[in-house]
Amino acid sequence: MDLTPEGAFFSPDTGWKDFHTRSKELARTNQFSHVLLADISDFYNQLGQHRIQNALEMVAVSAERSRNVEKFLNQLTAKQSQGLPVGPTASDVLAEACLIDVDNFLLRQNLPHVRYADDFHIFCTSRRQAIEIRHALSEYLFAVHRLSLESSKSSVQHVSQFLKELSDPEEAEQQAKVDKLSELIRAFEEEHGGYSFEDPESPDKSEMLGQAEREALVDLFRQCVERRPLQLGLARYLLRKASQSRTVVLNQSVFENLDSLAPALRDVTRYLAVTIPKAQAAERGRQLVRFCAESDVGNLPFVRMWIVELLVRRPDLCGANIALPHSEESARHFGIRPTALLAKVHNQIDWVRALKETWRNHEPWSRRGLIWSTSVLPGGERRPFLSMVVEQGDALDAAVAKLLLSQC
């Protein structure tokens, strides 16, 4: 697979922009009166892994490689025959491939449609036609994929209502910036008796624009977290935007709304990892651990997983005496790998020594995490252990050990 110019396997462009733009274009052609909005229920969890293999073979991926992908997914889901991890870009690609036949089914009905993952916008010439195609699509999805439409997210809308509700997080952010900048300009002019931006005493344009952008981001995020249910797409977009600019302006709001932001915790973690000020690290770390202990959602495995990931990325959030026991509480879900990574960043040599003698007793991910953590050991102790792993471990164990040996 060729890399992108940025050195990644997949383009950072998720396709959302094209989905939104094309939906708007079709709605404005005056050829359609109604739009069927259809969303597949619990799509990623219900997706059969054997169907993923079949979809890959249909797009000319070799049988051996497609079988290996299926086996890999099977290991990730504890040998369950269905389910695809939510979040990684590779999952989006696999999910897209699995629904190519559904696209073809709709094309055979001569119905223009736009799809983003499992989210469909199907354009119809009447309400009757939209209702009939919803029935046909539901029937096809269940018969072929054993999937069903999410009733709360699937509806028939008049095209005028569809255009009114069609929203793009990026457009909303841009409009909020413009509104905020206009507000700042009016306030400045009122305060300074009509100074223009050409006056030497007027504020810098870029400074004002930056202030407008920050305030717009805060306002949009506040509106987003206050709505029920959470606007997940908007929340994730704003968090990613704030992460890219490394702005701290959302920090307080994020910590005040950790419960409601739980569905977007992956993006919350990535945002907090780069924006929590070092001076506030200890207090924020205590808040995160307290959130896991006291929140109604704090004990959910995926919540625990991302909080531990944040503690690994930011070891200054709490000491080893708090971080390691917190991670060990989730060992039945994730094994010892997260704790091993924490032991490495906190230089907990005693923990590594106590576990390394029984490294073969752990499942693969835990085993490799433990091997990786031995980098904290003294060279004279580390090298013999890693050499033994190279001889006795499987191919991936040996690869991790060889990498560490090359760094000795």
Side-chain angles (χ1 to χ4, degrees):
M1 180 181 291
D2 295 333
L3 296 179
T4 67
E6 294 78 21
F9 283 112
F10 301 102
S11 168
D13 180 9
T14 63
W16 166 261
K17 189 72 176 177
D18 292 337
F19 172 71
H20 175 81
T21 302
R22 184 57 180 153
S23 295
K24 188 183 294 185
E25 289 173 353
L26 285 169
R28 288 175 173 170
T29 60
N30 295 323
Q31 298 177 28
F32 311 102
S33 63
H34 290 78
V35 184
L36 169 61
L37 285 70
D39 190 279
I40 299 175
S41 177
D42 200 20
F43 175 59
Y44 281 81
N45 288 330
Q46 298 300 322
L47 197 56
Q49 292 165 359
H50 189 61
R51 291 205 173 275
I52 296 173
Q53 180 197 348
N54 292 341
L56 290 175
E57 290 191 22
M58 286 176 60
V59 292
V61 175
S62 69
E64 180 183 6
R65 182 166 292 180
S66 61
R67 281 195 300 271
N68 287 339
V69 170
E70 182 184 9
K71 290 176 183 177
F72 175 69
L73 293 173
N74 196 246
Q75 292 295 318
L76 292 181
T77 57
K79 299 193 175 180
Q80 299 294 316
S81 61
Q82 63 185 37
L84 189 62
V86 178
T89 307
S91 293
D92 296 338
V93 175
L94 296 175
E96 291 282 353
C98 286
L99 293 179
I100 291 174
D101 66 304
V102 183
D103 290 327
N104 291 334
F105 167 78
L106 291 171
L107 290 172
R108 286 199 307 275
Q109 316 303 314
N110 294 317
L111 289 171
H113 75 282
V114 188
R115 175 168 67 85
Y116 177 72
D118 62 324
D119 191 0
F120 293 83
H121 291 166
I122 304 169
F123 295 82
C124 306
T125 55
S126 67
R127 186 171 185 272
R128 180 188 182 94
Q129 185 185 47
I131 292 172
E132 289 175 351
I133 196 61
R134 179 168 60 183
H135 173 77
L137 178 60
S138 298
E139 198 170 50
Y140 181 86
L141 283 170
F142 185 77
V144 177
H145 292 283
R146 289 296 184 268
L147 297 171
S148 59
L149 293 180
E150 175 61 62
S151 58
S152 65
K153 296 182 180 179
S154 300
S155 63
V156 174
Q157 291 185 358
H158 191 275
V159 69
S160 60
Q161 181 67 20
F162 172 74
L163 280 170
K164 183 178 178 181
E165 295 185 5
L166 189 63
S167 63
D168 176 20
E170 187 171 352
E171 286 184 2
E173 185 206 10
Q174 292 299 330
Q175 186 58 49
K177 285 184 202 173
V178 171
D179 294 343
K180 185 59 67 175
L181 184 57
S182 299
E183 180 184 324
L184 288 170
I185 291 172
R186 284 195 302 271
F188 175 80
E189 289 177 344
E190 290 172 3
E191 183 179 348
H192 295 82
Y195 276 106
S196 72
F197 279 109
E198 308 308 322
D199 292 322
E201 296 182 24
S202 65
D204 183 77
K205 291 181 184 179
S206 60
E207 181 182 338
M208 249 188 150
L209 185 58
Q211 182 182 349
E213 184 171 3
R214 289 190 295 272
E215 293 187 12
L217 190 65
V218 172
D219 288 345
L220 274 174
F221 191 72
R222 176 183 51 76
Q223 294 171 29
C224 177
V225 295
E226 287 177 354
R227 290 189 61 174
R228 295 293 180 273
L230 176 72
Q231 292 179 285
L232 184 57
L234 179 58
R236 294 182 67 187
Y237 171 82
L238 295 174
L239 286 164
R240 291 175 184 181
K241 190 79 174 178
S243 299
Q244 290 169 2
S245 61
R246 294 178 177 260
T247 178
V248 302
V249 295
L250 299 187
N251 256 254
Q252 187 60 34
S253 185
V254 165
F255 276 95
E256 290 173 355
N257 295 278
L258 282 173
D259 271 69
S260 58
L261 286 169
L265 204 59
R266 172 174 175 257
D267 295 284
V268 168
T269 296
R270 292 180 172 183
Y271 168 68
L272 293 179
V274 297
T275 61
I276 295 177
K278 290 187 179 296
Q280 299 176 13
E283 174 57 28
R284 292 307 194 190
R286 286 191 291 271
Q287 284 182 257
L288 290 167
V289 173
R290 192 161 59 243
F291 164 68
C292 287
E294 299 175 0
S295 169
D296 291 340
V297 300
N299 211 35
L300 295 177
F302 84 93
V303 171
R304 289 264 175 170
M305 177 185 73
W306 285 111
I307 295 299
V308 170
E309 171 70 13
L310 179 55
L311 298 182
V312 170
R313 293 188 182 198
R314 289 290 302 269
D316 57 333
L317 291 176
C318 59
N321 60 323
I322 297 175
L324 269 67
H326 173 76
S327 177
E328 287 170 340
E329 291 175 5
S330 305
R332 67 188 182 93
H333 295 295
F334 309 121
I336 65 167
R337 179 179 178 273
T339 313
L341 298 180
L342 283 168
K344 179 181 182 299
V345 298
H346 285 285
N347 201 38
Q348 296 297 291
I349 294 176
D350 60 312
W351 188 93
V352 177
R353 280 176 173 160
L355 273 290
K356 75 180 179 69
E357 300 303 327
T358 58
W359 67 279
R360 297 182 192 83
N361 299 344
H362 301 284
E363 50 84 24
W365 279 101
S366 292
R367 204 164 59 235
R368 288 156 205 154
L370 180 57
I371 295 168
W372 185 249
S373 72
T374 60
S375 62
V376 303
L377 297 174
E381 183 179 356
R382 181 170 72 251
R383 283 188 289 271
F385 172 76
L386 294 174
S387 298
M388 177 185 65
V389 172
V390 171
E391 293 178 4
Q392 300 179 10
D394 65 22
L396 290 178
D397 293 343
V400 175
K402 287 177 181 177
L403 175 62
L404 289 176
L405 281 170
S406 71
Q407 298 172 354
C408 289

